[in-house]
Amino acid sequence: AQSVTQLDSQVPVFEEAPVELRCNYSSSVSVYLFWYVQYPNQGLQLLLKYLSGSTLVKGINGFEAEFNKSQTSFHLRKPSVHISDTAEYFCAVSDQGGGFKTIFGAGTRLFVKA
Amino acid sequence: DAGVTQSPTHLIKTRGQQVTLRCSPISGHKSVSWYQQVLGQGPQFIFQYYEKEERGRGNFPDRFSARQFPNYSSELNVNALLLGDSALYLCASSLEQGMSNQPQHFGDGTRLSIL
């Protein structure tokens, strides 16, 4: 079984400051890793994914994440945030062995202040 | 191209009633998954359907059921509604089943409120 822990429920940050949203996972098998963003009253939108290869993954809207297998982490970063980045961010894992279930973390609310 | 569409967008029901939620996947996508997102939490997996067959089920009671039609659209049914069923119900589609490296494309959800 897999589990995902997002270490911060809320992250307030000033505009143009850097931000890191932390995600740890637990799994007995190899996993694929994803970050999704959810704006108010909308569904989830994929930001980036780690499947294999380079541990540094670049996504949309200037976000990137780094896969650390030894620490079972997949932290999301952005060097300079905008007001429009205010949203809920979800880390998710799925089993590399195939299958159907994606496990989501509880989410981190990023609040960008002017 | 249209994304994943869900209907209705909002729904209010009372305890004990039954509800049907609908989802149309992205054209060409054969797999549909349903998630329940309670306020303040991440989405919880309910079902996956592929080629009209149930391929996976999460830890939800038998009051929850679903089906997929030949055109790959899907319905989620919930019977004997409880207050705790109040949530945002999300539908997601992907090209194939069993390829967990494929990201899912989500609809905007149906907000279900139980009074």
Side-chain angles (χ1 to χ4, degrees):
Chain A
Q2 293 113 30
S3 66
V4 178
T5 302
Q6 293 185 240
L7 298 163
D8 306 290
S9 59
Q10 295 185 68
V11 174
V13 63
F14 284 103
E15 194 174 20
E16 298 183 5
V19 70
E20 178 180 80
L21 306 184
R22 298 179 294 166
C23 172
N24 287 351
Y25 70 93
S26 173
S27 177
S28 57
V29 298
S30 295
V31 295
Y32 299 120
L33 295 155
F34 306 86
W35 275 99
Y36 287 86
V37 61
Q38 185 176 35
Y39 298 101
N41 301 314
Q42 293 186 24
L44 280 68
Q45 178 184 1
L46 180 71
L47 274 178
L48 49 79
K49 58 187 177 185
Y50 173 78
L51 304 182
S52 65
S54 173
T55 57
L56 184 62
V57 180
K58 293 191 183 297
I60 63 171
N61 300 342
F63 283 94
E64 63 181 30
E66 185 156 19
F67 170 57
N68 187 319
K69 187 174 182 179
S70 63
Q71 298 191 6
T72 60
S73 68
F74 190 54
H75 299 334
L76 181 70
R77 301 186 183 99
K78 186 170 182 178
S80 176
V81 295
H82 303 287
I83 297 287
S84 59
D85 291 324
T86 294
E88 192 86 19
Y89 291 80
F90 292 96
C91 181
V93 302
S94 63
D95 180 356
Q96 275 194 22
F100 47 83
K101 183 186 285 191
T102 300
I103 306 299
F104 287 84
T108 297
R109 172 122 177 99
L110 175 63
F111 178 60
V112 182
K113 301 177 286 186
Chain B
D1 284 344
V4 177
T5 57
Q6 293 186 242
S7 63
T9 54
H10 295 85
L11 203 50
I12 299 174
K13 292 284 188 179
T14 58
R15 284 178 295 175
Q17 286 188 311
Q18 175 265 341
V19 68
T20 297
L21 311 180
R22 296 176 176 83
C23 172
S24 293
I26 290 173
S27 178
H29 284 195
K30 299 179 181 179
S31 175
V32 170
S33 297
W34 287 95
Y35 290 84
Q36 181 194 64
Q37 186 180 16
V38 173
L39 195 63
Q41 297 182 21
Q44 299 291 317
F45 173 77
I46 309 176
F47 286 112
Q48 193 213 30
Y49 274 76
Y50 178 72
E51 292 287 8
K52 303 180 292 295
E53 291 187 10
E54 180 184 309
R55 301 301 179 112
R57 184 184 185 115
N59 293 326
F60 281 81
D62 291 343
R63 299 185 296 106
F64 289 76
S65 63
R67 55 180 175 168
Q68 187 177 33
F69 299 98
N71 66 354
Y72 302 112
S73 67
S74 177
E75 287 182 351
L76 175 70
N77 297 284
V78 187
N79 294 322
L81 288 165
L82 304 174
L83 291 178
D85 295 331
S86 295
L88 180 68
Y89 287 84
L90 295 166
C91 174
S93 74
S94 58
L95 276 170
E96 300 285 344
Q97 179 262 346
M99 295 179 65
S100 54
N101 60 346
Q102 292 186 11
Q104 297 176 77
H105 299 262
F106 285 82
D108 288 342
T110 294
R111 173 74 63 187
L112 176 62
S113 299
I114 311 301
L115 303 179

Short mmCIF file of all heavy atoms in Angstrom, two decimals, chain B residues 12-66:
data_model
loop_
_atom_site.label_atom_id
_atom_site.label_comp_id
_atom_site.label_asym_id
_atom_site.label_seq_id
_atom_site.Cartn_x
_atom_site.Cartn_y
_atom_site.Cartn_z
N ILE B 12 -28.28 19.42 -4.57
CA ILE B 12 -28.66 19.37 -3.17
C ILE B 12 -29.67 18.24 -2.99
O ILE B 12 -30.67 18.18 -3.70
CB ILE B 12 -29.27 20.70 -2.69
CG1 ILE B 12 -28.26 21.83 -2.84
CG2 ILE B 12 -29.75 20.59 -1.24
CD1 ILE B 12 -28.81 23.20 -2.52
N LYS B 13 -29.39 17.35 -2.04
CA LYS B 13 -30.25 16.22 -1.76
C LYS B 13 -30.48 16.14 -0.25
O LYS B 13 -29.78 16.79 0.54
CB LYS B 13 -29.60 14.92 -2.26
CG LYS B 13 -29.50 14.81 -3.77
CD LYS B 13 -30.83 14.48 -4.38
CE LYS B 13 -30.73 14.19 -5.85
NZ LYS B 13 -32.06 13.84 -6.45
N THR B 14 -31.44 15.32 0.14
CA THR B 14 -31.67 15.07 1.56
C THR B 14 -31.26 13.64 1.89
O THR B 14 -31.13 12.78 1.00
CB THR B 14 -33.14 15.30 1.93
OG1 THR B 14 -33.95 14.46 1.13
CG2 THR B 14 -33.53 16.75 1.71
N ARG B 15 -31.06 13.41 3.17
CA ARG B 15 -30.65 12.07 3.62
C ARG B 15 -31.63 11.01 3.15
O ARG B 15 -32.84 11.20 3.15
CB ARG B 15 -30.57 12.03 5.15
CG ARG B 15 -29.32 12.71 5.69
CD ARG B 15 -29.31 12.69 7.20
NE ARG B 15 -30.41 13.50 7.76
CZ ARG B 15 -30.70 13.57 9.04
NH1 ARG B 15 -30.00 12.87 9.92
NH2 ARG B 15 -31.68 14.32 9.47
N GLY B 16 -31.09 9.88 2.72
CA GLY B 16 -31.92 8.77 2.28
C GLY B 16 -32.21 8.77 0.79
O GLY B 16 -32.62 7.73 0.24
N GLN B 17 -32.01 9.90 0.13
CA GLN B 17 -32.29 9.95 -1.31
C GLN B 17 -31.17 9.27 -2.09
O GLN B 17 -30.15 8.84 -1.55
CB GLN B 17 -32.44 11.40 -1.77
CG GLN B 17 -33.75 12.05 -1.36
CD GLN B 17 -33.93 13.41 -2.00
OE1 GLN B 17 -33.04 14.26 -1.97
NE2 GLN B 17 -35.10 13.62 -2.59
N GLN B 18 -31.39 9.18 -3.38
CA GLN B 18 -30.43 8.60 -4.30
C GLN B 18 -29.98 9.67 -5.29
O GLN B 18 -30.74 10.60 -5.59
CB GLN B 18 -31.08 7.42 -5.04
CG GLN B 18 -30.24 6.77 -6.11
CD GLN B 18 -30.52 7.32 -7.50
OE1 GLN B 18 -31.56 7.92 -7.75
NE2 GLN B 18 -29.57 7.14 -8.40
N VAL B 19 -28.76 9.55 -5.81
CA VAL B 19 -28.25 10.55 -6.74
C VAL B 19 -27.46 9.86 -7.85
O VAL B 19 -26.84 8.81 -7.64
CB VAL B 19 -27.37 11.58 -6.01
CG1 VAL B 19 -26.06 10.96 -5.51
CG2 VAL B 19 -27.08 12.78 -6.89
N THR B 20 -27.52 10.46 -9.04
CA THR B 20 -26.73 9.99 -10.18
C THR B 20 -25.91 11.15 -10.73
O THR B 20 -26.47 12.21 -11.04
CB THR B 20 -27.63 9.44 -11.29
OG1 THR B 20 -28.35 8.31 -10.80
CG2 THR B 20 -26.78 9.00 -12.49
N LEU B 21 -24.62 10.95 -10.82
CA LEU B 21 -23.70 11.94 -11.37
C LEU B 21 -23.17 11.43 -12.70
O LEU B 21 -22.93 10.23 -12.85
CB LEU B 21 -22.55 12.18 -10.39
CG LEU B 21 -22.93 12.45 -8.93
CD1 LEU B 21 -21.69 12.68 -8.09
CD2 LEU B 21 -23.89 13.60 -8.81
N ARG B 22 -22.94 12.35 -13.63
CA ARG B 22 -22.55 11.96 -14.98
C ARG B 22 -21.21 12.55 -15.39
O ARG B 22 -20.85 13.66 -14.96
CB ARG B 22 -23.63 12.36 -15.97
CG ARG B 22 -24.94 11.62 -15.71
CD ARG B 22 -26.07 12.06 -16.62
NE ARG B 22 -27.26 11.24 -16.38
CZ ARG B 22 -28.14 11.44 -15.42
NH1 ARG B 22 -27.97 12.45 -14.58
NH2 ARG B 22 -29.18 10.65 -15.29
N CYS B 23 -20.52 11.81 -16.26
CA CYS B 23 -19.17 12.21 -16.68
C CYS B 23 -18.97 11.83 -18.14
O CYS B 23 -19.24 10.68 -18.53
CB CYS B 23 -18.14 11.53 -15.81
SG CYS B 23 -16.43 11.75 -16.37
N SER B 24 -18.46 12.77 -18.92
CA SER B 24 -18.05 12.48 -20.29
C SER B 24 -16.55 12.67 -20.39
O SER B 24 -16.05 13.78 -20.13
CB SER B 24 -18.76 13.40 -21.29
OG SER B 24 -20.14 13.13 -21.32
N PRO B 25 -15.81 11.63 -20.75
CA PRO B 25 -14.35 11.75 -20.81
C PRO B 25 -13.90 12.53 -22.04
O PRO B 25 -14.69 12.82 -22.93
CB PRO B 25 -13.89 10.29 -20.89
CG PRO B 25 -15.02 9.60 -21.60
CD PRO B 25 -16.27 10.30 -21.13
N ILE B 26 -12.63 12.84 -22.06
CA ILE B 26 -12.02 13.45 -23.24
C ILE B 26 -12.14 12.46 -24.40
O ILE B 26 -12.00 11.24 -24.22
CB ILE B 26 -10.55 13.78 -22.96
CG1 ILE B 26 -10.45 14.95 -21.97
CG2 ILE B 26 -9.79 14.12 -24.24
CD1 ILE B 26 -9.05 15.25 -21.49
N SER B 27 -12.41 12.99 -25.58
CA SER B 27 -12.56 12.14 -26.76
C SER B 27 -11.33 11.25 -26.95
O SER B 27 -10.19 11.73 -26.94
CB SER B 27 -12.76 13.02 -28.00
OG SER B 27 -12.86 12.23 -29.16
N GLY B 28 -11.57 9.96 -27.09
CA GLY B 28 -10.47 9.01 -27.27
C GLY B 28 -10.01 8.37 -25.98
O GLY B 28 -9.27 7.37 -26.02
N HIS B 29 -10.40 8.91 -24.85
CA HIS B 29 -10.04 8.31 -23.56
C HIS B 29 -11.01 7.18 -23.23
O HIS B 29 -12.22 7.36 -23.29
CB HIS B 29 -10.06 9.36 -22.45
CG HIS B 29 -8.88 10.27 -22.48
ND1 HIS B 29 -8.52 11.08 -21.41
CD2 HIS B 29 -7.96 10.51 -23.44
CE1 HIS B 29 -7.44 11.77 -21.71
NE2 HIS B 29 -7.08 11.45 -22.94
N LYS B 30 -10.45 6.03 -22.84
CA LYS B 30 -11.27 4.87 -22.59
C LYS B 30 -11.45 4.57 -21.10
O LYS B 30 -12.27 3.74 -20.73
CB LYS B 30 -10.65 3.65 -23.26
CG LYS B 30 -10.53 3.78 -24.78
CD LYS B 30 -9.89 2.55 -25.38
CE LYS B 30 -9.76 2.69 -26.89
NZ LYS B 30 -9.11 1.49 -27.49
N SER B 31 -10.65 5.22 -20.27
CA SER B 31 -10.69 4.94 -18.85
C SER B 31 -11.28 6.12 -18.09
O SER B 31 -10.92 7.28 -18.34
CB SER B 31 -9.27 4.66 -18.34
OG SER B 31 -9.26 4.50 -16.94
N VAL B 32 -12.18 5.81 -17.17
CA VAL B 32 -12.79 6.84 -16.32
C VAL B 32 -12.64 6.42 -14.86
O VAL B 32 -12.92 5.26 -14.51
CB VAL B 32 -14.28 7.02 -16.66
CG1 VAL B 32 -14.95 7.90 -15.61
CG2 VAL B 32 -14.44 7.64 -18.04
N SER B 33 -12.20 7.35 -14.05
CA SER B 33 -12.10 7.12 -12.61
C SER B 33 -12.94 8.14 -11.87
O SER B 33 -13.11 9.28 -12.33
CB SER B 33 -10.65 7.22 -12.14
OG SER B 33 -9.85 6.23 -12.74
N TRP B 34 -13.47 7.73 -10.72
CA TRP B 34 -14.26 8.62 -9.87
C TRP B 34 -13.53 8.80 -8.54
O TRP B 34 -12.99 7.84 -7.96
CB TRP B 34 -15.64 8.03 -9.61
CG TRP B 34 -16.57 8.09 -10.79
CD1 TRP B 34 -16.80 7.12 -11.71
CD2 TRP B 34 -17.42 9.19 -11.15
NE1 TRP B 34 -17.73 7.55 -12.64
CE2 TRP B 34 -18.13 8.82 -12.32
CE3 TRP B 34 -17.65 10.46 -10.60
CZ2 TRP B 34 -19.05 9.66 -12.94
CZ3 TRP B 34 -18.56 11.29 -11.23
CH2 TRP B 34 -19.26 10.90 -12.38
N TYR B 35 -13.58 10.04 -8.04
CA TYR B 35 -12.96 10.38 -6.76
C TYR B 35 -13.95 11.19 -5.93
O TYR B 35 -14.75 11.97 -6.47
CB TYR B 35 -11.70 11.23 -6.97
CG TYR B 35 -10.55 10.48 -7.58
CD1 TYR B 35 -10.45 10.33 -8.96
CD2 TYR B 35 -9.54 9.93 -6.79
CE1 TYR B 35 -9.39 9.65 -9.54
CE2 TYR B 35 -8.48 9.25 -7.36
CZ TYR B 35 -8.41 9.12 -8.72
OH TYR B 35 -7.35 8.44 -9.29
N GLN B 36 -13.86 11.02 -4.62
CA GLN B 36 -14.62 11.85 -3.68
C GLN B 36 -13.63 12.78 -2.97
O GLN B 36 -12.62 12.31 -2.43
CB GLN B 36 -15.32 10.97 -2.64
CG GLN B 36 -16.15 11.77 -1.64
CD GLN B 36 -16.56 10.94 -0.42
OE1 GLN B 36 -15.72 10.50 0.35
NE2 GLN B 36 -17.86 10.73 -0.27
N GLN B 37 -13.93 14.07 -2.99
CA GLN B 37 -13.07 15.02 -2.30
C GLN B 37 -13.89 15.76 -1.24
O GLN B 37 -14.67 16.65 -1.55
CB GLN B 37 -12.44 16.01 -3.27
CG GLN B 37 -11.41 16.93 -2.61
CD GLN B 37 -10.77 17.91 -3.56
OE1 GLN B 37 -11.25 18.15 -4.67
NE2 GLN B 37 -9.65 18.48 -3.15
N VAL B 38 -13.70 15.37 -0.01
CA VAL B 38 -14.34 16.04 1.12
C VAL B 38 -13.59 17.34 1.38
O VAL B 38 -12.37 17.42 1.19
CB VAL B 38 -14.33 15.13 2.35
CG1 VAL B 38 -14.84 15.86 3.57
CG2 VAL B 38 -15.14 13.88 2.10
N LEU B 39 -14.30 18.34 1.82
CA LEU B 39 -13.72 19.67 2.04
C LEU B 39 -12.47 19.59 2.92
O LEU B 39 -12.50 18.99 3.99
CB LEU B 39 -14.76 20.58 2.69
CG LEU B 39 -14.46 22.08 2.66
CD1 LEU B 39 -14.40 22.59 1.24
CD2 LEU B 39 -15.51 22.85 3.47
N GLY B 40 -11.39 20.15 2.41
CA GLY B 40 -10.15 20.18 3.18
C GLY B 40 -9.29 18.95 3.04
O GLY B 40 -8.26 18.84 3.72
N GLN B 41 -9.68 18.01 2.19
CA GLN B 41 -8.91 16.78 2.02
C GLN B 41 -8.57 16.55 0.55
O GLN B 41 -9.10 17.21 -0.34
CB GLN B 41 -9.70 15.59 2.55
CG GLN B 41 -9.99 15.65 4.03
CD GLN B 41 -10.73 14.42 4.51
OE1 GLN B 41 -10.71 13.37 3.87
NE2 GLN B 41 -11.38 14.54 5.65
N GLY B 42 -7.67 15.62 0.31
CA GLY B 42 -7.35 15.24 -1.05
C GLY B 42 -8.39 14.28 -1.61
O GLY B 42 -9.19 13.70 -0.86
N PRO B 43 -8.41 14.12 -2.91
CA PRO B 43 -9.37 13.18 -3.53
C PRO B 43 -9.13 11.74 -3.06
O PRO B 43 -7.99 11.31 -2.93
CB PRO B 43 -9.08 13.33 -5.02
CG PRO B 43 -8.39 14.65 -5.17
CD PRO B 43 -7.61 14.83 -3.91
N GLN B 44 -10.22 11.03 -2.84
CA GLN B 44 -10.18 9.61 -2.46
C GLN B 44 -10.76 8.78 -3.61
O GLN B 44 -11.86 9.04 -4.07
CB GLN B 44 -10.99 9.37 -1.19
CG GLN B 44 -10.48 10.14 0.02
CD GLN B 44 -9.15 9.64 0.51
OE1 GLN B 44 -8.92 8.43 0.60
NE2 GLN B 44 -8.23 10.55 0.82
N PHE B 45 -10.01 7.77 -4.01
CA PHE B 45 -10.40 6.93 -5.15
C PHE B 45 -11.65 6.12 -4.83
O PHE B 45 -11.72 5.46 -3.79
CB PHE B 45 -9.24 5.99 -5.49
CG PHE B 45 -9.54 4.96 -6.52
CD1 PHE B 45 -9.59 5.29 -7.86
CD2 PHE B 45 -9.78 3.65 -6.16
CE1 PHE B 45 -9.85 4.33 -8.83
CE2 PHE B 45 -10.04 2.68 -7.11
CZ PHE B 45 -10.09 3.03 -8.45
N ILE B 46 -12.64 6.16 -5.75
CA ILE B 46 -13.87 5.38 -5.58
C ILE B 46 -13.88 4.21 -6.54
O ILE B 46 -14.02 3.05 -6.15
CB ILE B 46 -15.13 6.24 -5.81
CG1 ILE B 46 -15.10 7.52 -4.99
CG2 ILE B 46 -16.37 5.42 -5.45
CD1 ILE B 46 -16.29 8.45 -5.27
N PHE B 47 -13.79 4.50 -7.84
CA PHE B 47 -13.88 3.47 -8.88
C PHE B 47 -12.98 3.83 -10.06
O PHE B 47 -12.71 4.99 -10.32
CB PHE B 47 -15.29 3.40 -9.49
CG PHE B 47 -16.34 2.78 -8.65
CD1 PHE B 47 -17.37 3.56 -8.14
CD2 PHE B 47 -16.34 1.42 -8.37
CE1 PHE B 47 -18.35 3.00 -7.36
CE2 PHE B 47 -17.33 0.86 -7.60
CZ PHE B 47 -18.34 1.66 -7.09
N GLN B 48 -12.58 2.78 -10.80
CA GLN B 48 -12.10 2.98 -12.15
C GLN B 48 -12.85 2.04 -13.08
O GLN B 48 -13.05 0.86 -12.76
CB GLN B 48 -10.60 2.73 -12.31
CG GLN B 48 -10.09 3.24 -13.65
CD GLN B 48 -8.95 2.41 -14.23
OE1 GLN B 48 -8.86 1.22 -14.02
NE2 GLN B 48 -8.07 3.07 -14.95
N TYR B 49 -13.24 2.56 -14.25
CA TYR B 49 -13.87 1.77 -15.29
C TYR B 49 -13.06 1.88 -16.57
O TYR B 49 -12.53 2.94 -16.91
CB TYR B 49 -15.30 2.25 -15.55
CG TYR B 49 -16.29 1.60 -14.63
CD1 TYR B 49 -16.40 2.02 -13.31
CD2 TYR B 49 -17.09 0.54 -15.05
CE1 TYR B 49 -17.27 1.41 -12.44
CE2 TYR B 49 -17.98 -0.07 -14.19
CZ TYR B 49 -18.06 0.36 -12.89
OH TYR B 49 -18.92 -0.25 -12.02
N TYR B 50 -12.96 0.75 -17.25
CA TYR B 50 -12.24 0.69 -18.53
C TYR B 50 -12.96 -0.30 -19.41
O TYR B 50 -13.26 -1.43 -18.98
CB TYR B 50 -10.79 0.27 -18.31
CG TYR B 50 -10.00 0.13 -19.59
CD1 TYR B 50 -9.62 1.24 -20.32
CD2 TYR B 50 -9.63 -1.13 -20.06
CE1 TYR B 50 -8.90 1.12 -21.49
CE2 TYR B 50 -8.91 -1.26 -21.23
CZ TYR B 50 -8.54 -0.14 -21.94
OH TYR B 50 -7.83 -0.26 -23.10
N GLU B 51 -13.25 0.12 -20.62
CA GLU B 51 -13.97 -0.75 -21.56
C GLU B 51 -15.22 -1.34 -20.90
O GLU B 51 -15.50 -2.53 -21.01
CB GLU B 51 -13.06 -1.85 -22.09
CG GLU B 51 -11.95 -1.35 -22.98
CD GLU B 51 -12.47 -0.89 -24.37
OE1 GLU B 51 -13.69 -0.82 -24.58
OE2 GLU B 51 -11.63 -0.57 -25.22
N LYS B 52 -15.94 -0.49 -20.21
CA LYS B 52 -17.25 -0.78 -19.63
C LYS B 52 -17.18 -1.77 -18.46
O LYS B 52 -18.24 -2.22 -17.99
CB LYS B 52 -18.22 -1.30 -20.70
CG LYS B 52 -18.39 -0.30 -21.85
CD LYS B 52 -19.35 -0.81 -22.90
CE LYS B 52 -18.81 -2.00 -23.66
NZ LYS B 52 -17.61 -1.62 -24.45
N GLU B 53 -16.00 -2.07 -17.99
CA GLU B 53 -15.88 -2.99 -16.85
C GLU B 53 -15.22 -2.28 -15.68
O GLU B 53 -14.30 -1.47 -15.86
CB GLU B 53 -15.07 -4.22 -17.23
CG GLU B 53 -15.76 -5.13 -18.22
CD GLU B 53 -15.00 -6.42 -18.43
OE1 GLU B 53 -14.04 -6.69 -17.67
OE2 GLU B 53 -15.35 -7.16 -19.36
N GLU B 54 -15.66 -2.65 -14.48
CA GLU B 54 -15.03 -2.13 -13.28
C GLU B 54 -13.66 -2.77 -13.13
O GLU B 54 -13.54 -3.99 -13.07
CB GLU B 54 -15.88 -2.41 -12.05
CG GLU B 54 -15.27 -1.90 -10.75
CD GLU B 54 -16.09 -2.28 -9.53
OE1 GLU B 54 -17.31 -2.03 -9.54
OE2 GLU B 54 -15.50 -2.83 -8.57
N ARG B 55 -12.63 -1.94 -13.04
CA ARG B 55 -11.26 -2.45 -12.93
C ARG B 55 -10.65 -2.18 -11.56
O ARG B 55 -9.60 -2.72 -11.25
CB ARG B 55 -10.37 -1.81 -14.00
CG ARG B 55 -10.85 -2.07 -15.41
CD ARG B 55 -10.94 -3.56 -15.76
NE ARG B 55 -11.42 -3.78 -17.11
CZ ARG B 55 -10.65 -4.29 -18.08
NH1 ARG B 55 -9.41 -4.63 -17.82
NH2 ARG B 55 -11.16 -4.46 -19.27
N GLY B 56 -11.29 -1.35 -10.79
CA GLY B 56 -10.77 -1.07 -9.45
C GLY B 56 -11.82 -0.39 -8.60
O GLY B 56 -12.69 0.32 -9.11
N ARG B 57 -11.71 -0.63 -7.29
CA ARG B 57 -12.67 -0.06 -6.36
C ARG B 57 -11.94 0.35 -5.09
O ARG B 57 -11.12 -0.41 -4.58
CB ARG B 57 -13.76 -1.07 -6.04
CG ARG B 57 -14.85 -0.52 -5.15
CD ARG B 57 -15.87 -1.57 -4.77
NE ARG B 57 -16.95 -0.95 -4.00
CZ ARG B 57 -18.21 -0.88 -4.42
NH1 ARG B 57 -18.55 -1.40 -5.57
NH2 ARG B 57 -19.12 -0.31 -3.68
N GLY B 58 -12.27 1.53 -4.58
CA GLY B 58 -11.68 1.98 -3.32
C GLY B 58 -12.51 1.51 -2.14
O GLY B 58 -13.44 0.72 -2.28
N ASN B 59 -12.19 2.03 -0.97
CA ASN B 59 -12.85 1.61 0.26
C ASN B 59 -14.14 2.39 0.49
O ASN B 59 -14.24 3.22 1.40
CB ASN B 59 -11.91 1.79 1.45
CG ASN B 59 -10.73 0.85 1.36
OD1 ASN B 59 -10.85 -0.27 0.88
ND2 ASN B 59 -9.58 1.31 1.80
N PHE B 60 -15.12 2.14 -0.36
CA PHE B 60 -16.42 2.79 -0.25
C PHE B 60 -17.49 1.71 -0.12
O PHE B 60 -17.36 0.63 -0.67
CB PHE B 60 -16.68 3.67 -1.47
CG PHE B 60 -15.97 5.00 -1.40
CD1 PHE B 60 -14.63 5.10 -1.74
CD2 PHE B 60 -16.63 6.14 -0.96
CE1 PHE B 60 -13.97 6.31 -1.65
CE2 PHE B 60 -15.98 7.35 -0.87
CZ PHE B 60 -14.64 7.44 -1.22
N PRO B 61 -18.58 2.03 0.60
CA PRO B 61 -19.64 1.02 0.81
C PRO B 61 -20.38 0.72 -0.49
O PRO B 61 -20.27 1.43 -1.48
CB PRO B 61 -20.57 1.69 1.83
CG PRO B 61 -20.32 3.16 1.69
CD PRO B 61 -18.87 3.30 1.31
N ASP B 62 -21.19 -0.36 -0.41
CA ASP B 62 -21.93 -0.81 -1.60
C ASP B 62 -23.00 0.17 -2.04
O ASP B 62 -23.59 0.00 -3.12
CB ASP B 62 -22.58 -2.17 -1.30
CG ASP B 62 -21.54 -3.26 -1.15
OD1 ASP B 62 -20.39 -3.04 -1.59
OD2 ASP B 62 -21.87 -4.32 -0.60
N ARG B 63 -23.26 1.20 -1.23
CA ARG B 63 -24.20 2.24 -1.65
C ARG B 63 -23.69 2.99 -2.88
O ARG B 63 -24.46 3.62 -3.60
CB ARG B 63 -24.41 3.27 -0.53
CG ARG B 63 -24.98 2.71 0.73
CD ARG B 63 -25.28 3.80 1.76
NE ARG B 63 -24.09 4.51 2.22
CZ ARG B 63 -23.75 5.75 1.86
NH1 ARG B 63 -24.50 6.44 1.03
NH2 ARG B 63 -22.64 6.31 2.34
N PHE B 64 -22.39 2.90 -3.10
CA PHE B 64 -21.75 3.54 -4.25
C PHE B 64 -21.65 2.53 -5.39
O PHE B 64 -21.15 1.41 -5.18
CB PHE B 64 -20.36 4.06 -3.90
CG PHE B 64 -20.36 5.26 -2.99
CD1 PHE B 64 -20.61 5.12 -1.64
CD2 PHE B 64 -20.11 6.52 -3.49
CE1 PHE B 64 -20.62 6.23 -0.79
CE2 PHE B 64 -20.10 7.63 -2.66
CZ PHE B 64 -20.36 7.49 -1.31
N SER B 65 -22.11 2.92 -6.57
CA SER B 65 -21.97 2.06 -7.74
C SER B 65 -21.75 2.94 -8.95
O SER B 65 -21.98 4.15 -8.91
CB SER B 65 -23.21 1.18 -7.94
OG SER B 65 -24.35 1.99 -8.20
N ALA B 66 -21.27 2.34 -10.01
CA ALA B 66 -21.01 3.10 -11.22
C ALA B 66 -21.14 2.19 -12.44
O ALA B 66 -21.23 0.97 -12.31
CB ALA B 66 -19.62 3.74 -11.17
#
